[in-house]
Amino acid sequence: MSSLSTIKTWLRETDAYRAGSLYREDNFPLNWLVRKVLSKVRITDETAAELKALAEKGVVIYALKSKSQLNSLILRELSVRRGIPPPVYCHGINMIVWQPFPMAIRLIASQLYRWIFRKERLDPTGTAHLQERVGKGQSAIIHLGQSELFDNPFVDETLSQLLEAQANSPTPLYLCPEVITYGRRREKEEESFFN
């Protein structure tokens, strides 16, 4: 096999290389930084136990209100830390900065190859990839909104793909809405009359 055909094959194999993929491999120094910064983030024991129980019975799909790389990283880090199956795909958001360097380079090179040679482009919404990940029993994160001002135009398609995946799977899918809040820790807050 020639070097050129090897490179073309390498660039075409994009099944696992998506901008929204979340990898467990270390991406030094960024993953170290994420773990360090998020080390103080907590999840209640009740919530962790409920998510573990759901993960034992089926596939957990985390639903966030708006697109946020930080909130997606928080969910992944908390799930890894608490022994809950971590999400492997973040639907509709570009997580390439947080991917291991070789994976990110491969994804960029593959996209450039497809753009330069006008090859078939990957599904821009990624719904087929989401359905495939969920069908394999892997957790994912979906976003139900764009931001406070804009709606996510792909929400209906995403939910219909999840319903289709559920219809084709003997394993139940659990859509778990998650709210991540920021602020001072409650135990350090001094109660005042207005609080």
Side-chain angles (χ1 to χ4, degrees):
M1 185 180 263
S2 71
S3 298
L4 185 58
S5 62
T6 303
I7 290 171
K8 283 182 180 178
T9 302
W10 182 78
L11 290 174
R12 275 189 246 131
E13 293 173 354
T14 57
D15 178 45
Y17 302 97
R18 299 286 180 140
S21 293
L22 295 168
Y23 298 97
R24 189 60 203 133
E25 291 90 355
D26 289 336
N27 183 16
F28 187 81
L30 292 180
N31 274 351
W32 174 84
L33 178 65
V34 167
R35 280 195 300 273
K36 185 76 172 161
V37 169
L38 299 181
S39 66
K40 296 190 192 283
V41 177
R42 300 285 177 249
I43 185 174
T44 64
D45 292 335
E46 296 83 23
T47 302
E50 288 172 7
L51 288 172
K52 275 185 192 178
L54 289 176
E56 289 172 3
K57 293 189 273 184
V59 180
V60 174
I61 309 296
Y62 301 96
L64 292 172
K65 179 182 177 188
S66 59
K67 287 187 175 185
S68 168
Q69 287 185 359
L70 178 60
N71 288 349
S72 300
L73 290 172
I74 287 171
L75 280 176
R76 183 188 65 177
E77 185 61 29
L78 287 173
S79 62
V80 168
R81 202 180 324 145
R82 297 301 296 262
I84 304 163
V88 297
Y89 182 65
C90 188
H91 181 66
I93 193 165
N94 190 339
M95 300 297 287
I96 198 166
V97 173
W98 308 105
Q99 294 179 359
F101 189 69
M103 310 297 195
I105 291 299
R106 191 167 182 177
L107 177 65
I108 292 168
S110 173
Q111 294 297 337
L112 283 173
Y113 171 79
R114 288 173 180 279
W115 181 71
I116 291 170
F117 295 105
R118 302 187 191 283
K119 298 292 181 183
E120 178 186 343
R121 299 190 72 164
L122 293 173
D123 173 23
T125 62
T127 49
H129 189 67
L130 173 66
Q131 190 175 6
E132 182 182 330
R133 297 289 103 197
V134 169
K136 291 183 176 180
Q138 298 173 326
S139 290
I141 298 171
I142 64 170
H143 301 90
L144 301 178
Q146 184 76 10
S147 68
E148 295 298 323
L149 302 175
F150 303 105
D151 287 333
N152 184 345
F154 304 115
V155 170
D156 292 339
E157 186 175 344
T158 300
L159 294 174
S160 67
Q161 288 291 328
L162 287 174
L163 287 172
E164 188 177 324
Q166 178 61 82
N168 297 329
S169 173
T171 308
L173 303 182
Y174 295 103
L175 192 61
C176 301
E178 300 296 328
V179 175
I180 298 174
T181 58
Y182 303 91
R184 293 184 297 169
R185 291 195 336 208
R186 188 78 180 139
E187 60 269 15
K188 288 192 172 183
E189 234 176 80
E190 290 183 26
E191 291 295 328
S192 70
F193 174 73
F194 293 107
N195 282 345

